[in-house]
Amino acid sequence: MAESNISRRRAIAGLAGVCTATPILRANADPSIFSKLQGPLQDAIAPGHWIGQFVGLNSRTERWELPDSSPAEASSAFVRILRDLPPDLRTELLVPEFDITRDDGRSVHVRTWTKNEWLDALDVSFRDAPRGGCVATASFYATGFLPTSIPLAPVVNTAFAWFPFASPGPRGEMLQEFRLRVLKGLLVKKLQE
């Protein structure tokens, strides 16, 4: 059963990748006026996440154990990693532009735009672990089927909320899985410094 779900997901992801294939360009995107105006609304309602979180094509949630850090230390390190991401890594992660909208020492929320202005969201919450250190719950998800550069995208994306779509990433991985794997690796490395 699990094998057929994985195969089905990979098939849908592959098809979506063929249908939406665009070259990966250097990370220097600046969201359009439509994206800047519609981004907060699209982020707040996130219709692409309504079903996507259950289907698993465009959404990923992971739990990271960070045994040697407090939630405040881990959160601060995570924000520094994001702010210090070099352009080549932003390009690889397909997050040339992002906006950290919440950083309160226990949770971080980030709006990330791809080069083509699809809006994805990243939520990471940090809490004390029972035996010391902390545990982070990280979720990266697509907020909608259409990019926020299209006028009325949040409204149209709400109408398309029932339509599952994939976010294929490099090397056969789903994009959100790839992003979280890289960000976790960077966080663990940063906390060991």
Side-chain angles (χ1 to χ4, degrees):
M1 179 70 172
E3 184 64 47
S4 68
N5 282 342
I6 292 170
S7 298
R8 193 174 323 125
R9 287 180 182 164
R10 290 200 189 279
I12 292 171
L15 179 60
V18 169
C19 295
T20 61
T22 56
I24 296 176
L25 304 172
R26 190 111 183 110
N28 60 359
D30 186 22
S32 67
I33 188 70
F34 285 117
S35 286
K36 288 178 184 175
L37 292 173
Q38 297 182 131
L41 176 60
Q42 175 108 346
D43 181 33
I45 61 175
H49 189 55
W50 296 351
I51 293 175
Q53 65 186 315
F54 302 111
V55 179
L57 291 173
N58 60 12
S59 176
R60 175 78 173 185
T61 299
E62 295 181 356
R63 179 184 155 128
W64 303 338
E65 306 228 358
L66 307 166
D68 300 322
S69 302
S70 71
E73 291 168 334
S75 177
S76 176
F78 191 73
V79 169
R80 282 194 314 272
I81 288 166
L82 291 174
R83 289 193 173 130
D84 295 342
L85 278 176
D88 60 326
L89 190 51
R90 284 182 177 207
T91 299
E92 185 178 346
L93 293 172
L94 299 177
V95 291
E97 192 65 39
F98 63 86
D99 183 20
I100 299 171
T101 61
R102 183 178 61 246
D103 168 20
D104 61 16
R106 287 210 167 256
S107 64
V108 177
H109 181 79
V110 184
R111 289 185 199 123
T112 67
W113 282 273
T114 67
K115 181 74 177 170
N116 293 326
E117 299 186 49
W118 271 284
L119 178 65
D120 295 338
L122 169 62
D123 284 310
V124 186
S125 61
F126 300 89
R127 61 179 168 74
D128 291 311
R131 294 188 173 97
C134 77
V135 174
T137 302
S139 296
F140 219 137
Y141 53 91
T143 63
F145 181 70
L146 297 176
T148 55
S149 57
I150 295 174
L152 300 175
V155 174
V156 177
N157 281 327
T158 300
F160 279 118
W162 60 271
F163 184 74
F165 60 95
S167 297
R171 296 179 290 281
E173 271 183 296
M174 297 306 288
L175 180 59
Q176 313 310 2
E177 180 180 2
F178 167 72
R179 288 170 166 169
L180 286 176
R181 181 175 53 78
V182 170
L183 291 171
K184 178 185 178 186
L186 292 171
L187 178 58
V188 168
K189 183 178 177 182
K190 182 69 134 179
L191 291 171
Q192 291 172 347
E193 291 178 354

